Amino acid sequence: MAVHEHSTAHMDCDNCPIRHRAVCARCESDELDALNAIKYYRTYDVGQTIIWSGDHMDFVASVVEGIATLSQTMEDGRTQMVGLLLPSDFVGRPGRDHAPYDVTATTQVTMCCFRKKAFEEMMLRTPHIGQRLLEMTLDELDAAREWMLLLGRKTAREKIASLLAIMARRDASLKPQGAAGQVVFDLPLTREAMADYLGLTLETVSRQISALRKSGVIQLEGKRHVVVPDIDRLLNETGDDADGGFFG
Amino acid sequence: MAVHEHSTAHMDCDNCPIRHRAVCARCESDELDALNAIKYYRTYDVGQTIIWSGDHMDFVASVVEGIATLSQTMEDGRTQMVGLLLPSDFVGRPGRDHAPYDVTATTQVTMCCFRKKAFEEMMLRTPHIGQRLLEMTLDELDAAREWMLLLGRKTAREKIASLLAIMARRDASLKPQGAAGQVVFDLPLTREAMADYLGLTLETVSRQISALRKSGVIQLEGKRHVVVPDIDRLLNETGDDADGGFFG
DNA sequence: CGCCCAATTTGATTTCGATCAAGGTCAATC
DNA sequence: GATTGACCTTGATCGAAATCAAATTGGGCG
C-alpha cells in the first residue's frame, strides 16, 4: 500500500523538489505521508501578486507550474527583479515570517504550499529536507552572483543576449531541438519584465532585441517567439567565457 | 574538564560561526572536539589571492579576522565584486569541488579552515551545522538581492551612499559612537575595490565621494577615514526606504 | 468586422557615467 | 631629503542608455 500511495502522490506534484527529490527519491513513505498531510495547492493568474513585500507569510512553497518573479521596488517606483522562479523552485524562508520581496505570477502559476510551522517541524525531524534546501539555496546564490556580474558590468546588448541564452538553455534542456545549434522558444516575459530583470528601460530592451534581429543573431515571429539559428553566435554576444559547456 | 576545554577552544576562534554559534552555544563538546580535530588556520597578506576561480577546493572556511572579497572577472578584464566576507562569514560549498569565484584578501585575513571531506561527514552527523549553514546562506542570498537592486537601479551617488551606510552600520554595531547620529569609521576598500563593488569606475567613485564631502554629508580625514556627522542625512542619499530601523 | 487598449517599436534629445588624460598626495625606500 | 610608485583627484570629452514623445502592432471583445 505504501508503494501505491507513493506513486499516486508522485503524479500530482511532479515538480515539487522537496518531496520529489529529497524525499520521494529515497522512497521514504512516512516522510511523504507527513508532507502530504501539510501541503495544499494554489493557482494564480497572469499578473497576479502572489505575495506582497512585507506581508506576513505563514507558508513556504514550491512552484509546480508556471513562472513567477521576485522583485524589489524603491519608493519612487524603480523596480529590480531579484529572482525568477521556475517549476521546482522554492519560495519562502523557514524562520522568517515577513516576505522581503514581491512575488508576482508572470504566467499562470500553480504552487505547492506547506504551512510554515509544520514544515519547520518536519525539517527538524527529516535532515534530507534541510540538506536539499541548503543545496537549492546555494544554487540560487550562485545564480544571484552571476546576475550581479550582468547588472554591474555588462552592456545592454550583452545583457539581452545573456537573458536570451538563459531562456534558450532552459527550453533546450526540456525539448530536443531540430537542426544542430538551432534553438526555438517563447519569451515568457514582457519587455518591461525583461527590463526589470536586466536593469534597463523597456525601450532599450526593445532596441537591443531589434539590433540582434537585424544582425541575424535571432529571428522573431511575432513579439515573443524566438528562433536562434546558431546558439554559438548568441553565446558570443553574452560576454561570457566562450567555451562554456552549456550546450555542448 | 569538558567545560575547561570548551572555554579554551572558544578563545582561539571567536568569530567562527560554525563552532561558535551552532555548536559551542549549545556546549556540545563532542561536536566541538570533532570540529577541532579537522580544523586549521591560515593567514593571508593584503592583496593576496586566497582562492583562484576554477581552483580545486578541498576545504571550506570561515573568516576569523580581516576582510576578503569574492569577485568575478570577464575575459576582457571587467570585474564585479559579488561578495564581501567579514569576520564570521563562511566560504566554500559542501558538495562542490571547484571554486566559482576569486577570493582575495583586502586586509590581512585569518581563516579557520576545515577539510571539506571531513566537514561533509561532520554535517551528516550533526544537523545543527547544516541548519546554521542554511540560515547563513539565506542571509547571504538576501544580501545579494539587496545588492542587485543597487547594481541595477541606483544612481552613482546612491550607490556610494549605500556602501558608506553599510560600512557605517557595520562599525556602529561594533563600537559605541560619540555624538548622537555621528558615526566614524575607516574604509577598508580602495577606490578601485569600491568601484568593483558598485559597478562603477574608480573615477566616478572618487568624484561622488568628493560630491558627498562638498555637500557636507560626510567629512574625510585622509583618504580612508570617514566621519558621518548625521547618519540620517547619509541614509537619505541611499534611495532606500527612509524609515529603516538600522540605527534606530 | 472594426474598435480598443496594452504592448511594442522607433525617433529625437538629453544626461549620467565612462573614458582619456593630467596632476596631486603620501608613505616607503634609497 | 630626493625618488619612486601606488593611490587618489580632477578636468575635458565622449558615448551608451535614459528620457520624452509619437507611431505601430496585434490580440480580445462588443
Side-chain angles (χ1 to χ4, degrees), chain B residues 2-241:
Chain B
V3 170
H4 186 77
E5 282 185 305
H6 176 279
S7 62
T8 308
H10 210 143
M11 292 302 293
D12 71 359
C13 189
D14 247 7
N15 277 319
C16 175
I18 295 304
R19 188 179 58 191
H20 183 59
R21 295 193 200 157
V23 183
C24 238
R26 292 171 171 268
C27 292
E28 297 179 1
S29 33
D30 285 352
E31 292 170 15
L32 187 59
D33 290 346
L35 274 170
N36 277 332
I38 63 170
K39 77 157 196 268
Y40 57 98
Y41 293 91
R42 279 208 58 178
T43 299
Y44 300 86
D45 282 335
V46 175
Q48 203 178 348
T49 297
I50 299 173
I51 303 159
W52 292 99
S53 169
D55 271 7
H56 180 79
M57 268 193 79
D58 54 359
F59 63 94
V60 296
S62 152
V63 177
V64 176
E65 199 176 356
I67 297 182
T69 63
L70 301 188
S71 57
Q72 278 190 304
T73 301
M74 296 168 69
E75 292 148 289
D76 61 6
R78 281 176 283 174
T79 298
Q80 176 63 51
M81 196 185 298
V82 297
L84 190 59
L85 298 173
L86 300 166
S88 92
D89 286 334
F90 188 83
V91 213
R93 174 164 174 174
R96 166 158 307 178
D97 46 59
H98 290 273
Y101 320 109
D102 294 330
V103 182
T104 310
T106 283
T107 63
Q108 183 170 292
V109 169
T110 303
M111 311 268 281
C112 174
C113 307
F114 301 92
R115 266 169 266 288
K116 187 156 69 76
K117 197 102 189 299
F119 187 83
E120 284 164 3
E121 285 160 9
M122 183 84 204
M123 269 183 68
L124 291 178
R125 269 180 282 117
T126 317
H128 296 315
I129 294 182
Q131 281 162 29
R132 175 71 194 135
L133 215 46
L134 175 58
E135 202 181 310
M136 291 172 69
T137 307
L138 285 163
D139 284 341
E140 269 191 278
L141 187 56
D142 282 346
R145 285 171 167 164
E146 198 72 42
W147 200 337
M148 285 171 61
L149 175 65
L150 176 148
L151 289 172
R153 295 301 187 193
K154 290 190 179 180
T155 64
R157 181 180 249 250
E158 289 169 339
K159 286 178 174 183
I160 295 288
S162 299
L163 178 57
L164 292 173
I166 288 168
M167 300 296 181
R169 178 152 83 245
R170 174 129 207 117
D171 282 32
S173 68
L174 297 179
K175 348 171 246 223
Q177 297 288 324
Q182 177 168 326
V183 185
V184 177
F185 61 95
D186 286 291
L187 287 168
L189 302 176
T190 64
R191 299 290 185 265
E192 188 179 19
M194 288 190 257
D196 287 344
Y197 185 109
L198 300 170
L200 297 171
T201 59
L202 67 89
E203 293 95 329
T204 298
V205 169
S206 181
R207 273 188 251 274
Q208 293 298 332
I209 288 178
S210 296
L212 286 175
R213 183 171 49 68
K214 279 169 193 151
S215 59
V217 177
I218 59 171
Q219 291 150 23
L220 283 179
E221 287 162 18
K223 315 289 186 184
R224 302 289 194 91
H225 190 75
V226 180
V227 178
V228 182
D230 178 357
I231 190 66
D232 290 329
R233 272 189 76 193
L234 178 61
L235 293 176
N236 281 339
E237 299 283 348
T238 62
D240 296 330
D241 256 337

Side-chain angles (χ1 to χ4, degrees), chain A residues 155-157 199-201 203-204 207-208 223:
Chain A
T155 63
R157 180 181 250 249
L200 297 171
T201 59
E203 293 94 328
T204 298
R207 273 187 251 273
Q208 294 298 333
K223 313 288 186 186

Side-chain angles (χ1 to χ4, degrees), chain A:
Chain A
M1 281 311 99
V3 170
H4 187 77
E5 280 185 305
H6 177 279
S7 63
T8 309
H10 210 145
M11 292 301 292
D12 70 0
C13 189
D14 247 7
N15 276 319
C16 176
I18 296 305
R19 190 178 56 192
H20 183 60
R21 295 193 201 156
V23 183
C24 240
R26 293 169 169 267
C27 291
E28 297 179 0
S29 32
D30 285 351
E31 293 169 15
L32 187 59
D33 289 347
L35 274 170
N36 277 333
I38 63 169
K39 78 159 197 267
Y40 57 99
Y41 293 91
R42 280 209 56 179
T43 299
Y44 300 86
D45 281 335
V46 175
Q48 202 178 349
T49 297
I50 299 173
I51 303 159
W52 291 100
S53 168
D55 270 8
H56 180 79
M57 268 193 79
D58 54 359
F59 63 95
V60 297
S62 152
V63 177
V64 177
E65 198 175 358
I67 296 183
T69 64
L70 302 188
S71 57
Q72 278 191 306
T73 300
M74 296 168 69
E75 294 148 287
D76 62 5
R78 282 176 282 175
T79 73
Q80 175 63 52
M81 196 185 298
V82 296
L84 190 59
L85 298 173
L86 301 165
S88 91
D89 286 332
F90 187 83
V91 214
R93 173 164 175 172
R96 167 157 307 179
D97 47 60
H98 290 272
Y101 319 109
D102 294 330
V103 183
T104 310
T106 283
T107 62
Q108 183 170 291
V109 169
T110 304
M111 312 268 279
C112 174
C113 308
F114 302 92
R115 265 169 268 287
K116 188 157 67 79
K117 196 98 189 303
F119 187 83
E120 283 165 5
E121 285 160 9
M122 183 81 203
M123 268 183 68
L124 291 178
R125 270 180 281 116
T126 318
H128 297 315
I129 294 181
Q131 282 162 29
R132 176 70 193 136
L133 214 48
L134 175 57
E135 202 181 313
M136 291 172 69
T137 306
L138 284 163
D139 284 341
E140 269 191 279
L141 188 55
D142 282 345
R145 286 172 165 163
E146 197 73 41
W147 199 337
M148 284 170 61
L149 176 65
L150 175 149
L151 290 171
R153 294 301 187 193
K154 290 191 179 179
T155 63
R157 180 181 250 249
E158 288 169 340
K159 286 177 174 184
I160 296 287
S162 299
L163 178 57
L164 292 173
I166 288 168
M167 300 295 183
R169 177 151 82 246
R170 174 129 209 116
D171 282 31
S173 67
L174 297 179
K175 348 172 246 223
Q177 299 288 323
Q182 177 168 326
V183 185
V184 177
F185 61 95
D186 286 292
L187 286 169
L189 302 175
T190 64
R191 299 291 185 262
E192 188 178 19
M194 288 190 257
D196 287 343
Y197 186 110
L198 299 170
L200 297 171
T201 59
L202 67 89
E203 293 94 328
T204 298
V205 169
S206 180
R207 273 187 251 273
Q208 294 298 333
I209 288 178
S210 297
L212 286 174
R213 183 171 49 68
K214 278 169 194 154
S215 58
V217 177
I218 59 171
Q219 290 151 24
L220 283 179
E221 287 162 19
K223 313 288 186 186
R224 301 289 195 94
H225 190 75
V226 180
V227 178
V228 182
D230 177 0
I231 190 67
D232 290 329
R233 272 189 76 193
L234 178 61
L235 293 177
N236 281 339
E237 300 283 346
T238 62
D240 295 331
D241 256 337
D243 79 297
F246 291 143
F247 290 93

